[in-house]
Every structure is written in C-alpha cells, then in structure tokens.
C-alpha cells in the first residue's frame, strides 16, 4: 500500500511539473542574476507562497534545454548522480540520501506503522504536511504552541513526549514565523529527543542563512541519531515549478523507506533532477540570492519598525508581523491594490506573513501597508 501511495504521489508531481517546465523553457536566457523589474502598469503581484522571486540560476535554463533531448528516457543514472552530489555536500553516505518530496508519504508510513493512535508532535501555527498525512491514516496530531518569540518551544515539546509519540516534526526556520532556534540548544534538543522517537526536521528555508551548514540537523544524522532531515529545491534554488526535495536519514531508516517505495528514481521528474544538480553546483548564484533576500528582508523589517508593528526576527524569505487588523482584513485591503499575500495562520489571526518579492514589488507592498490604519 505504501509503495502504491508513494508511486501515485510521485507520478502526480511529475505530471504537474512537466507542463510547467516546458513552459519555463520559453524564457529568454538570463543575462544577469537579478530578475527584471515588473511592468510599469502595476500588474497583480503574488507575495504569498515564499517563492524565490529572483528565479533559478541561469545555468539551469541552459541545462534544461539540453535535457529535452532525453524526455523519452526514464530517470535512472541521473538520480544516482544527484544523490551522490548531495551526499558529498552533506558529508553522508550515498545510501543515506532519499530523493523526492517525501514528507507526505513518510507521514502515511509512520501513521500506519504500529497501527492507529500513534502521536505526532508539531508546532502551531505551522506547516503540518507530514502530520496531516499521518492523521489521515489513524495518526494523532499533538499541537505544541510556539513560545513568546514565536520559535519552536523546545521545553514544551519535551513535556509532550510519551510512549505514544511516533515522531516529532519540526520546521526550522519555522513557517510562518521565520524564526530560528538557537543552534547549540536546537542540536542538543534533537539529539535528546531522538532517543525517544524519530525526529523529522523540515529545513526548507535553512539555506537562506549564511551559516546554515553549522546549523543543520544533518550533523545529528551523521552522529547516528534517529533523525531525518528534509530539504527542498523549491525555495532558495527557485525550482518551485519542478518540485523536488530530498531527505537525509540513518542508513537503516533510509533502506526501510526505499523498501516501501520512497525515493524510487523512476517516479522522479528527469527535468527536475537535472535542474537540481545544476543549481546545487552553482554556489555563487545561491550566495547572490541569499544576499539579495537578506537585504530586502532587512528593508522590510525597517519599514515595519517605522510603522511600530511588532515583528519576528524572521530569517527566511518572508516577514511576519502583528497588527490591530486581522490578517483577513489586511489581505482584503491589499488584494484591492493588486497584491496577493495568501492565507492566515490561526490562531495568530492578527499576524500576517508576506513573502519577499522583487525590490519594486516590496516597495509597492510597503507603500500599500503605509496607507492602512495598522
């Protein structure tokens, strides 16, 4: 059953992303790392999904054009090559790398494993993809509120672990708050809880931090702890139209997941694999995007401070702030100005998340906020 579910999820992702990939190939070659300014007619802008507005590395577009010659072939050696490239970067063995957006299939497997009733701890508000999947097959979600700084509340997590705990799911940097737990404290916490249950950490936004290599929980995997770390190429690498992620796990856990159908190369999008390996190799472009997002986020935080709005110390590709208006009221007002900021994150109904866009887009959003009685 797990194999069928994983295969189904993989094929759907492939079909959905293939059309977007072909459309993307009509773009003009990128001549510079900064994306062009939006048109002057004030077209509608989307700052709701934490996408990288600067686009992928110019090398990716070139690589995809060449890869079109092999669309009749299944993904095989290409996936092994990417796994090896990731393993070298993460300083783990090749067999510890599992390619694919595996959080939901993993949640299904863990929810089924041992029968219904297993508990899954997660921060709220947050990104509960793994927990929602587990809940659909009998798992029980155990929400843990964020602390006063809107970080993962490590002390509260400790108090919630029981014999029923099947997994602890953490997002660091957290979404939607953008906060990052103290590196040393977080690493010690993960190692501690991994003695009682599997700890799964989503690091989708961690590579936006300059010191991400010193912060990553992959060091806990290297140390032999019962920890799985998930990453994605959809954020910093700007490959949301070709969704692909990967997990780093202990050898035994990785082997068990493969037996259950996760990480099969045949269900991976060949174009996504080629784009990922090309982008991963372009470390200079990653650094350029990181610097641009850092600068734009800092400017946004200064505007929020000028408006006397409490905001988190977000370190990802978005800002998160509190207002006397609800998120729904702000979203409606900005939508009337042609700006889409997406959904609310209950129970923090007076907190609003806005993604970092291009410089001109950010200025437009900030100007629109200044007009509101926040």
């Amino acid at each position: 059953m797990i194999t069928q579910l994983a295969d189904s999820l993989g094929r759907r992702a492939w079909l959905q992303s293939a059309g977007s990939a072909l459309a993307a190939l009509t773009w003009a070659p990128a001549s510079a790392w900064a994306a062009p300014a939006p048109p002057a007619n004030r077209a509608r802008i989307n700052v709701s999904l934490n996408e990288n507005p600067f686009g992928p590395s110019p090398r990716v577009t070139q690589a995809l054009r060449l890869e079109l010659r092999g669309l009749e072939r299944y993904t095989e050696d290409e996936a092994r090559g990417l796994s090896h490239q990731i393993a070298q970067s993460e300083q783990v063995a090749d067999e510890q790398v599992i390619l694919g957006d595996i959080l939901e299939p993993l949640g299904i497997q863990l929810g089924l494993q041992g029968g219904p009733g297993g508990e899954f701890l997660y921060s709220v508000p947050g990104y509960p993809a793994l927990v929602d999947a587990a809940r659909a097959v009998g798992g029980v979600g155990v929400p843990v509120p964020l602390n006063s700084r809107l970080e993962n509340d490590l002390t509260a997590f400790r108090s919630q672990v029981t014999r029923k705990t099947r997994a602890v799911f953490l997002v660091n940097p957290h979404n939607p708050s953008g906060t990052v737990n103290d590196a040393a404290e977080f690493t010690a916490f993960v190692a501690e809880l991994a003695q009682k249950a599997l700890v799964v950490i989503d690091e989708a936004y961690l590579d936006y931090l300059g010191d991400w290599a010193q912060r990553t929980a992959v060091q806990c995997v290297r140390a032999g702890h019962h920890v799985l770390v998930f990453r994605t190429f959809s954020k910093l690498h700007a490959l949301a139209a070709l969704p692909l992620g990967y997990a780093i796990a202990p050898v035994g856990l990785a082997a068990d997941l493969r037996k259950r159908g996760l990480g099969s190369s045949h269900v991976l999008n060949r174009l996504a694999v080629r784009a990922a390996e090309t982008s991963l190799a372009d470390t200079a472009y990653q650094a350029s995007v990181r610097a641009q997002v850092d600068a734009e986020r800092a400017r946004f935080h200064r505007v929020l401070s000028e408006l006397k709005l409490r905001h988190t110390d977000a370190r990802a590709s978005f800002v998160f702030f509190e207002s006397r208006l609800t998120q729904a009221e702000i979203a409606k007002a900005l939508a009337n100005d042609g700006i889409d900021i997406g959904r609310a994150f209950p129970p923090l109904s007076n907190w609003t998340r806005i993604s970092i866009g291009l410089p001109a887009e950010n200025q437009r959003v900030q100007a629109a906020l200044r007009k509101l009685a926040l």
Side-chain angles (χ1 to χ4, degrees):
M1 178 179 179
I2 294 301
T3 301
Q4 293 172 343
L5 286 167
D7 287 348
S8 175
L9 286 168
R11 290 191 182 96
R12 283 203 299 272
W14 190 95
L15 289 169
Q16 291 168 354
S17 59
S20 300
L22 291 174
L25 293 175
T26 63
W27 296 344
S31 58
W33 287 350
N41 61 1
R42 294 180 68 78
R44 191 166 195 84
I45 63 174
N46 188 321
V47 282
S48 66
L49 296 175
N50 304 339
E51 298 152 327
N52 173 359
F54 299 100
S57 161
R59 298 180 188 177
V60 168
T61 307
Q62 299 166 7
L64 289 177
R65 285 199 178 93
L66 295 174
E67 196 62 30
L68 284 175
R69 301 171 185 171
L71 292 184
E72 73 281 5
R73 302 294 183 186
Y74 290 109
T75 305
E76 293 190 48
D77 291 343
E78 298 81 8
R80 286 189 285 272
L82 177 58
S83 291
H84 179 70
Q85 184 181 6
I86 292 170
Q88 293 292 300
S89 174
E90 301 285 1
Q91 301 174 47
V92 297
D94 289 17
E95 56 265 32
Q96 292 181 264
V97 179
I98 308 163
L99 295 180
D101 287 322
I102 74 160
L103 285 180
E104 291 179 354
L106 176 63
I108 292 170
Q109 178 192 332
L110 294 174
L112 291 171
Q113 185 179 0
E119 294 183 347
F120 294 80
L121 278 58
Y122 67 108
S123 291
V124 289
Y127 175 70
L130 180 144
V131 178
D132 286 348
R135 188 183 286 120
V137 294
V140 177
V142 179
V144 179
L146 300 173
N147 65 20
S148 61
R149 296 182 298 277
L150 299 190
E151 302 168 342
N152 293 302
D153 192 332
L154 306 187
T155 300
F157 268 96
R158 283 189 180 93
S159 69
Q160 292 293 330
V161 175
T162 70
R163 290 185 177 182
K164 293 183 179 180
T165 303
R166 202 161 290 172
V168 175
F169 180 52
L170 297 161
V171 181
N172 191 48
H174 192 65
N175 182 17
S177 66
T179 54
V180 185
N181 286 92
D182 176 79
E185 182 183 5
F186 188 76
T187 300
F189 167 82
V190 170
E192 174 191 338
L193 260 64
Q195 299 177 40
K196 303 175 182 178
L198 173 66
V199 180
V200 179
I201 301 148
D202 182 349
E203 294 184 347
Y205 300 98
L206 190 67
D207 46 7
Y208 273 106
L209 279 68
D211 62 346
W212 69 269
Q214 287 73 51
R215 289 179 174 272
T216 177
V218 171
Q219 57 191 302
C220 294
V221 182
R222 295 190 205 111
H225 297 301
H226 197 40
V227 174
L228 182 147
V229 176
F230 176 77
R231 299 255 182 77
T232 181
F233 290 99
S234 294
K235 301 303 180 183
L236 178 73
H237 295 271
L239 297 177
L242 290 169
L244 181 64
Y246 66 90
I248 305 294
V251 173
L253 176 59
D256 182 62
L257 294 176
R258 286 196 182 87
K259 288 178 183 177
R260 299 175 184 274
L262 279 68
S264 171
S265 62
H266 287 287
V267 301
L268 297 177
N269 184 331
R270 186 184 180 101
L271 297 178
V273 170
R274 184 63 71 199
E277 70 173 8
T278 304
S279 184
L280 191 60
D282 196 350
T283 55
Y285 185 75
Q286 295 168 42
S288 172
V289 169
R290 189 179 294 118
Q292 291 179 85
V293 171
D294 279 350
E296 289 301 311
R297 188 180 60 243
R299 291 189 189 100
F300 215 128
H301 280 162
R302 286 196 293 272
V303 170
L304 294 175
S305 295
E306 290 169 10
L307 293 172
K308 302 188 185 310
L309 296 174
R310 178 189 175 197
H311 61 83
T312 63
D313 182 21
R315 304 289 300 280
S317 56
F318 49 87
V319 297
F320 196 54
F321 63 91
E322 185 180 29
S323 166
R324 74 174 189 85
L325 299 180
T326 66
Q327 192 277 347
E329 290 171 327
I330 294 175
K332 181 179 180 180
L334 294 185
N336 291 335
D337 212 349
I339 301 167
D340 179 8
I341 64 169
R343 68 182 182 90
F345 293 88
L348 300 182
S349 59
N350 285 79
W351 284 80
T352 298
R353 188 191 73 181
I354 299 181
S355 304
I356 299 299
L358 294 169
E361 293 174 331
N362 298 329
Q363 292 169 16
R364 182 173 154 191
V365 173
Q366 292 155 13
L369 289 175
R370 290 181 188 277
K371 293 187 296 184
L372 301 179
L374 297 170

